[in-house]
Amino acid sequence: MKALLLKYWDRLRSSFWFVPAAMACLAAALALSAVAIDEATGDDWLQRLGWSYSGGAEGASLLLGTVAGSMIAIAGTVFSMTLVAMSLASSQLGPRLLRNFMRDTANQVVLGTFVATFVYCLLVLRTIRRADEVAFVPHLSVSIGVLLAMVSIGVLIYFIHHVSVSIQADEVIAHVGRELDDGIDRLFPGHLGQPGSETSDSSNTAGLPAAFAREARPLGAAEDGYLQLVDGDALMALASREDLLLQLERRPGHYLVKGQTMVMVWPGDRVTDALVDQLNDAFVFGNQRTATQDVEFSLHQLVEIAVRALSPGINDPFTAIACVDRLGSALCRLARRDAPSPLRYDDEGRLRLVAPGSSFAGMVDAAFNQIRQSARSNPAVAIRMLDVIAQIAGRLQHTRDAACLQRHAGMIVTAARDAVPEADDRLAVEASFAAADQALRSLHG
């Protein structure tokens, strides 16, 4: 249930309707409250303030009608500008970046401001009664409507600035980089159950019973899609209650076909239909990857931007270099962290869950492989990648992690030797490789 709630909350945050709808409801409540105050107190005290609306019913109706009409027109314009910005970002930076624009709270609040002002003015407008009836002019409510209109103008000016800044490549890259850093802080190390005495062992099979492979029963995915969330607390509680040992075969971010093994359950003879349903409830699938528990998702977004920038149709190495810098910053942060053990223990120290996670080597491969392949003939990007490797080497805590960096440095310089036509450019790449190689070798002492 927790994982499902997280999924729906992520969907709400990525929608254009939730925040505007919530603000419209608040505007409706404000309109009803303001009109009720006008009916209960009259307008004598407002007149003494000197700033409230003091006209008649005709003027109030015209004023609120004008504000309401202009607000809904501006809301349409804002929505159109947002779609244009999203279209530009999709074509230049990649379609998976659309999620970041839709999650932008500022865009949602701007749209909600105009919708809320429209709703407020419309509801107040219907309460105005002219002289041929029992005359009623809600002066306080009309004054608040004018104030909301002024606020909306300020919000419009802010939105024009914000959308102009938000579509810049460097700003998009910085935003994705911060999301990647947040994911690393959140998932390294992971917290799932109580660590046991073997948490230093990174093997997925260490500590498993000898009969696990023979007696464990596989549980297949209930549907096709990307594994978005795993409710680890629910799995730990279920394993402890039923005295089970669970081994996850896939982690968030992986795509599963219906029926593909998702988790191994031991002892297998305790698996019932009710248990299968409870296990399935702990796994949430969707049509796309999300960054909630998938730390590699944000990393792949940066890689996608870099690879698109290096394509012949765009040919923008500066954007690719900016992505390499952000990837290097994230990997430097990751190099100082201990990867969480796949072995998770309950409060009594019994092994209940084996949950594989992302490794440093896997993250480095995901960060560098595609960019290296696309930048074979671009010495500027190759040099920056080697410089980043040297920076990461200076922050490594474990010498075993140096091997993957050494491998990537070797592949980068080999590709440059084969694909870079200018001798001086090759020498520059060789110099950066020598610096990175020296930094890596110094780890061995």
Side-chain angles (χ1 to χ4, degrees):
M1 179 60 68
K2 177 183 177 182
L4 196 61
L5 291 176
L6 287 175
K7 175 184 177 180
Y8 286 122
W9 174 244
D10 186 71
R11 285 186 177 180
L12 289 177
R13 288 187 60 197
S14 303
S15 67
F16 269 138
W17 65 266
F18 177 68
V19 171
M23 294 180 68
C25 292
L26 292 175
L30 176 62
L32 296 177
S33 301
V35 170
I37 293 174
D38 275 313
E39 291 177 340
T41 62
D43 59 353
D44 294 339
W45 64 280
L46 284 174
Q47 299 297 335
R48 291 194 296 268
L49 294 178
W51 56 266
S52 65
Y53 174 79
S54 58
E58 291 292 339
S61 298
L62 180 61
L63 177 61
L64 292 178
T66 301
V67 172
S70 61
M71 288 302 108
I72 201 64
I74 295 176
T77 303
V78 166
F79 188 70
S80 299
M81 293 174 62
T82 303
L83 291 180
V84 170
M86 292 172 60
S87 176
L88 179 63
S90 175
S91 61
Q92 295 293 323
L93 303 175
R96 272 150 292 279
L97 271 298
L98 291 180
R99 170 181 169 274
N100 297 69
F101 285 90
M102 294 185 67
R103 286 170 60 91
D104 191 340
T105 306
N107 291 340
Q108 298 172 5
V109 170
V110 168
L111 184 60
T113 299
F114 297 120
V115 173
T117 303
F118 169 77
V119 170
Y120 176 87
C121 293
L122 202 63
L123 292 178
V124 174
L125 183 61
R126 61 182 289 275
T127 66
I128 298 176
R129 295 188 292 271
R130 293 170 176 78
D132 54 345
E133 308 169 7
V134 179
F136 175 68
V137 180
H139 292 87
L140 174 62
S141 303
V142 175
S143 301
I144 293 176
V146 174
L147 179 61
L148 290 176
M150 299 301 294
V151 171
S152 299
I153 296 300
V155 169
L156 177 62
I157 296 172
Y158 164 77
F159 174 75
I160 295 172
H161 166 77
H162 175 75
V163 75
S164 300
V165 171
S166 63
I167 62 175
Q168 296 177 18
D170 288 338
E171 290 294 326
V172 175
I173 293 169
H175 177 80
V176 178
R178 287 192 294 269
E179 190 175 64
L180 176 57
D181 291 341
D182 291 341
I184 291 174
D185 292 339
R186 186 172 61 252
L187 299 178
F188 286 85
H191 298 284
L192 190 62
Q194 298 297 321
S197 59
E198 301 179 45
T199 54
S200 60
D201 193 336
S202 60
S203 171
N204 290 354
T205 59
L208 292 178
F212 184 88
R214 183 178 65 255
E215 298 178 357
R217 175 177 170 179
L219 174 65
E223 57 182 303
D224 297 341
Y226 289 98
L227 181 58
Q228 294 180 334
L229 296 166
V230 177
D231 191 343
D233 294 336
L235 289 177
M236 286 293 297
L238 179 62
S240 298
R241 185 172 65 250
E242 302 294 336
D243 194 20
L244 300 173
L245 174 58
L246 308 176
Q247 179 178 347
L248 302 185
E249 298 294 315
R250 295 292 183 269
R251 65 174 185 267
H254 286 168
Y255 184 87
L256 282 82
V257 178
K258 184 177 181 179
Q260 183 178 356
T261 301
M262 180 174 60
V263 59
M264 300 292 294
V265 184
W266 182 85
D269 55 7
R270 297 183 186 176
V271 177
T272 62
D273 292 340
L275 181 64
V276 169
D277 292 337
Q278 294 179 66
L279 287 172
N280 283 328
D281 290 340
F283 297 87
V284 176
F285 290 85
N287 296 328
Q288 59 188 359
R289 299 174 68 172
T290 65
T292 306
Q293 291 184 354
D294 180 11
V295 69
E296 292 184 9
F297 175 71
S298 299
L299 185 146
H300 287 159
Q301 285 185 312
L302 289 173
V303 172
E304 180 180 5
I305 297 173
V307 171
R308 278 179 170 267
L310 292 170
S311 65
I314 298 178
N315 192 24
D316 180 12
F318 295 100
T319 296
I321 289 173
C323 292
V324 171
D325 289 338
R326 290 290 176 176
L327 288 169
S329 177
L331 291 175
C332 285
R333 181 186 298 265
L334 184 62
R336 296 192 294 266
R337 305 296 179 91
D338 291 324
S341 169
L343 309 180
R344 310 296 175 178
Y345 296 80
D346 61 15
D347 295 335
E348 298 178 358
R350 296 179 180 177
L351 180 62
R352 293 300 183 187
L353 184 64
V354 181
S358 299
S359 64
F360 179 80
M363 294 282 285
V364 171
D365 289 343
F368 287 150
N369 276 336
Q370 295 188 55
I371 299 178
R372 186 195 70 250
Q373 295 160 6
S374 299
R376 287 176 55 86
S377 59
N378 194 310
V381 178
I383 290 171
R384 185 56 62 90
M385 292 178 69
L386 290 169
D387 291 343
V388 164
I389 288 175
Q391 292 175 355
I392 299 171
R395 291 167 173 79
L396 285 178
Q397 286 188 341
H398 306 289
T399 56
R400 64 175 182 270
D401 293 332
C404 65
L405 294 175
Q406 186 74 54
R407 176 168 54 86
H408 278 282
M411 288 189 289
I412 292 170
V413 73
T414 300
R417 291 167 182 165
D418 296 338
V420 175
E422 293 293 334
D424 288 344
D425 289 338
R426 291 196 298 270
L427 288 176
V429 175
E430 293 279 1
S432 294
F433 170 74
D437 185 65
Q438 178 62 33
L440 291 168
R441 291 182 183 275
S442 64
L443 296 174
H444 300 282

